[in-house]
Amino acid sequence: MGSKPLWGFVSAALLGILLLQYGSCFPEKGPYPTFTHQATVAPPVSFYDYIIIGGGTAGCSLAATLSERATVLLLERGGSPYGNPTISNIATFAATLANVSPSSPSQTFVSTDGVINARARVLGGGTCLNAGFYTRASADYVRRAGWDPQLVEESYEWVEKKIVFRPPMLQWQSAVREGLLEVGVLPDNGYTFEHIYGTKVGGTIFDENGHRHTAADLLEYADPRQITVYLNAVVHQIYFDKGLLKPRATGVEFRDKQGNIHRAYLKVGSTSEIILSAGALGSPQLLMLSGIGPSPHLVAHGIEVVLDQPMVGQGMSDNPMNAVLVPSPRPVEVSLIQVVGITRFESYIETASGSLLTLVGARSLGEFFASLANQTAQHFTLVPNEINPLLNPNINAGVILEKTAGPLSTGHLELLTRDPNDNPQVTFNYFQHPLDLERCVQGMRTIIEVIESAPLSSFRYPALSVQTLLHLMLTLPLNARPRHLDAAFSLEQYCIDTVMTIWHYHGGCQVGQVVDHDYKVLGVDGLRVIDGSTFYGSPGTNPQATVMMLGRYMGQRILQERFPNGKK
């Protein structure tokens, strides 16, 4: 295994620790045998009212909603999450991220900033890969987005009836919760989906048996007579009719896993649309591949320009995450994100727990521990009796992390090749804005206070000081960034050197820049973008609730436009 896969594995390992109903309208449940198929069986040409590119966090809820009153084609470049144990089981959360095979549900990419990241390649999108935390956007976020609060509320509830649960809150999570309250992250807001200052317990998409429920489950709401889903269907291009006043999207070209070309077109009519829901990497990438983007960049790649749109791929942001690993002398539960401290300085404190062996699995564990053993031997000779437990793959540990809100720092995305299977090149410019770094430092100070709080005392080895724990993090290959000797003594440098992702990246097709407030692409007709690429900031402490909500919300709005009098 090369160095990049090792970095990706170690990030997944740490994140694995640190991040470790109502009836449907229609009878069919996943994996939906009547309407979900491999793209190899797709006809050469087909016609639909709506073609949705990307069966992820937004695409599934959008497709299910539109199918209530129109014919829908949903194209997903990955496979099905159903029957995949690493996706469905909370204890194997990190194993999915560590899988770097060509058909993995998780496609690794490394930003130019040297941070290892992942994008989803599976029906259900990021909800198949994430740590499961469910929390809504704040009322202020909803107001600034210009959304209808009542329809937002109804759309959240539509999601929550299907896939959201109350977490169990066992030993480690309860201790961190009490620690946050002790150090002043107040008030105690109990169990709530709302994004409000203080400490709270949020929802989770893992049920009481530790089984993951994903956005793909929202397709249970779909009308199976009106929807078609093709898996392993990679869209290469959106077609446009350029002989009009404005170019109009008319269809797509997609290829199955055998390389066969299929074409799907919109039915004749001004209300039919193609909708990009391919995520913050995929949506700007596909716009560029289809001729919408910065003209010089497209020409350099030999792409015919449909619309010179320099803002496509701009405004890329990824919320920086920094963490501290806390080895525990007593057992801790396997848990992912359940508790969050929402501070007034706009940093979010979260936690997870478990054993490395349980969360990471046997694959690549040898390399990880060989690296860890080598680093601890070099840096922790003064406390060998305390560090030795870390060399045991069954070690119990918790991780406390902070996510910087926003963020204010932005970057950009560019094509590397014309192959949609390849990752584009992304720059996030972590901590470019000084306020992001200030928030990280304040968040790390809060984490240190929580670690030193009374509720955490029984979960710590007495000889392992916080300074030693910071040194430990600096020895691990968390990213591909340079390290500095003073980083354990300077929280500013620690934030810069140990930054990781929490997979909440967004931007590239932002409202007012690339799309209007109805998510229609500016300068063309028949094309929208509905996903996190339209965001200026990540909503709440975890965006999945809001992205799923947005799919339902905009599906309702689009149907209202199509049938203004309520008639089909």
Side-chain angles (χ1 to χ4, degrees):
M1 176 181 286
S3 56
K4 284 187 179 178
L6 174 60
W7 290 329
F9 161 72
V10 172
S11 294
L14 280 169
L15 293 172
I17 303 170
L18 59 96
L19 291 176
L20 210 75
Q21 137 174 238
Y22 196 82
S24 64
C25 300
F26 301 98
E28 189 162 329
K29 294 183 179 292
Y32 316 112
T34 66
F35 62 82
T36 299
H37 314 281
Q38 290 295 319
T40 49
V41 304
V45 177
S46 55
F47 296 86
Y48 298 88
D49 294 319
Y50 296 99
I51 300 171
I52 300 173
I53 304 171
T57 310
C60 286
S61 55
L62 176 63
T65 301
L66 292 177
S67 76
E68 295 173 11
R69 307 191 70 187
T71 59
V72 177
L73 173 64
L74 180 61
L75 298 171
E76 168 52 46
R77 72 191 186 109
S80 171
Y82 299 104
N84 186 326
T86 66
I87 289 176
S88 60
N89 186 359
I90 191 173
T92 53
F93 154 77
T96 307
L97 291 166
N99 182 353
V100 294
S101 68
S103 60
S104 169
S106 172
Q107 182 177 4
T108 300
F109 71 95
V110 182
S111 70
T112 64
D113 316 275
V115 174
I116 297 91
N117 215 315
R119 59 190 295 208
R121 184 168 48 193
V122 61
L123 188 68
T127 63
C128 299
L129 309 180
N130 66 20
F133 194 60
Y134 183 94
T135 180
R136 298 179 178 185
S138 67
D140 183 60
Y141 191 100
V142 171
R143 179 188 58 77
R144 285 185 283 110
W147 296 332
D148 175 357
Q150 181 177 344
L151 186 55
V152 165
E153 175 75 20
E154 293 170 356
S155 299
Y156 274 128
E157 290 176 352
W158 181 87
V159 173
E160 290 154 9
K161 288 175 182 177
K162 186 68 67 176
I163 65 169
V164 184
F165 306 86
R166 183 168 184 163
M169 285 295 296
L170 301 178
Q171 302 97 320
W172 173 265
Q173 291 281 340
S174 297
V176 172
R177 175 177 173 272
E178 294 303 315
L180 284 165
L181 295 172
E182 180 180 295
V183 304
V185 185
L186 298 168
D188 179 358
N189 291 312
Y191 173 62
T192 179
F193 298 152
E194 301 304 321
H195 184 85
I196 44 180
Y197 291 122
T199 295
K200 74 167 192 174
V201 177
T204 178
I205 60 173
F206 289 97
D207 64 23
E208 62 275 11
N209 298 314
H211 180 85
R212 182 192 295 270
H213 296 256
T214 76
D217 293 6
L218 299 175
L219 291 172
E220 293 176 14
Y221 284 120
D223 185 339
R225 301 163 298 181
Q226 299 258 71
I227 187 171
T228 300
V229 179
Y230 288 130
L231 303 176
N232 296 297
V234 179
V235 175
H236 282 242
Q237 184 179 1
I238 301 169
Y239 295 140
F240 293 91
D241 183 346
K242 291 172 282 188
L244 304 171
L245 185 62
K246 285 198 297 185
R248 181 173 187 82
T250 57
V252 302
E253 175 190 304
F254 65 97
R255 300 184 188 182
D256 61 37
K257 57 185 176 182
Q258 295 177 358
N260 299 313
I261 296 175
H262 307 263
R263 294 180 176 88
Y265 293 97
L266 296 175
K267 293 180 179 179
V268 176
S270 60
T271 55
S272 295
E273 294 179 313
I274 294 169
I275 305 173
L276 266 170
S277 295
L281 265 63
S283 288
Q285 180 185 25
L286 276 168
L287 283 180
M288 290 183 186
L289 291 174
S290 303
I292 299 178
S295 180
H297 184 58
L298 302 186
V299 171
H301 283 274
I303 298 170
E304 181 183 354
V305 177
V306 173
L307 178 69
D308 180 17
Q309 173 42 289
M311 297 311 296
V312 173
Q314 298 299 308
M316 299 297 299
S317 293
D318 186 27
N319 297 82
M321 181 189 75
N322 295 81
V324 180
L325 174 69
V326 184
S328 172
R330 57 177 286 193
V332 297
E333 70 272 18
V334 174
S335 69
L336 297 180
I337 306 302
Q338 299 177 7
V339 171
V340 60
I342 301 174
T343 69
R344 293 188 178 274
F345 51 81
E346 300 302 323
S347 175
Y348 309 138
I349 314 300
E350 304 175 4
T351 188
S353 60
S355 74
L356 286 175
L357 183 61
T358 299
L359 287 168
V360 179
R363 177 187 168 105
S364 304
L365 205 56
E367 281 191 71
F368 175 72
F369 281 104
S371 170
L372 184 59
N374 179 55
Q375 297 291 348
T376 54
Q378 293 179 41
H379 295 273
F380 298 104
T381 54
L382 297 179
V383 285
N385 292 333
E386 293 296 345
I387 290 299
N388 281 341
L390 286 177
L391 306 185
N392 175 3
N394 293 304
I395 184 68
N396 289 281
V399 169
I400 306 178
L401 64 95
E402 73 86 32
K403 165 188 169 178
T404 300
L408 299 174
S409 304
T410 64
H412 60 278
L413 175 150
E414 295 177 327
L415 297 177
L416 284 175
T417 74
R418 292 177 60 176
D419 186 345
N421 294 292
D422 294 339
N423 289 317
Q425 178 175 276
V426 191
T427 300
F428 291 118
N429 288 324
Y430 296 98
F431 303 122
Q432 180 187 61
H433 196 290
L435 187 55
D436 289 339
L437 185 58
E438 180 181 324
R439 288 170 174 173
C440 178
V441 169
Q442 290 179 287
M444 289 304 305
R445 286 176 180 153
T446 304
I447 288 175
I448 291 169
E449 290 177 358
V450 171
I451 291 173
E452 294 178 335
S453 69
L456 268 291
S457 60
S458 66
F459 291 94
R460 290 186 59 197
Y461 287 97
L464 286 179
S465 67
V466 170
Q467 201 71 48
T468 301
L469 297 179
L470 296 181
H471 273 297
L472 172 62
M473 294 297 292
L474 285 163
T475 66
L476 300 178
L478 307 175
N479 55 40
R481 294 163 74 88
R483 303 297 167 84
H484 298 80
L485 294 177
D486 64 344
F489 302 95
S490 163
L491 290 180
E492 287 86 357
Q493 196 63 56
Y494 182 89
C495 286
I496 293 168
D497 286 4
T498 66
V499 64
M500 293 179 284
T501 185
I502 198 166
W503 314 296
H504 297 168
Y505 52 88
H506 50 276
C509 299
Q510 291 170 315
V511 173
Q513 302 290 331
V514 177
V515 299
D516 66 16
H517 282 82
D518 292 316
Y519 301 92
K520 296 178 180 179
V521 176
L522 297 167
V524 300
D525 288 328
L527 181 64
R528 301 195 203 217
V529 180
I530 299 175
D531 58 24
S533 70
T534 64
F535 294 165
Y536 281 87
S538 183
T541 59
N542 185 301
Q544 71 166 343
T546 302
V547 178
M548 286 187 282
M549 179 281 293
L550 183 62
R552 172 62 176 177
Y553 177 95
M554 284 307 302
Q556 299 256 75
R557 290 281 305 275
I558 291 169
L559 289 178
Q560 289 169 5
E561 287 181 21
R562 188 181 185 96
F563 306 108
N565 299 318
K567 296 179 180 179
K568 188 170 180 177

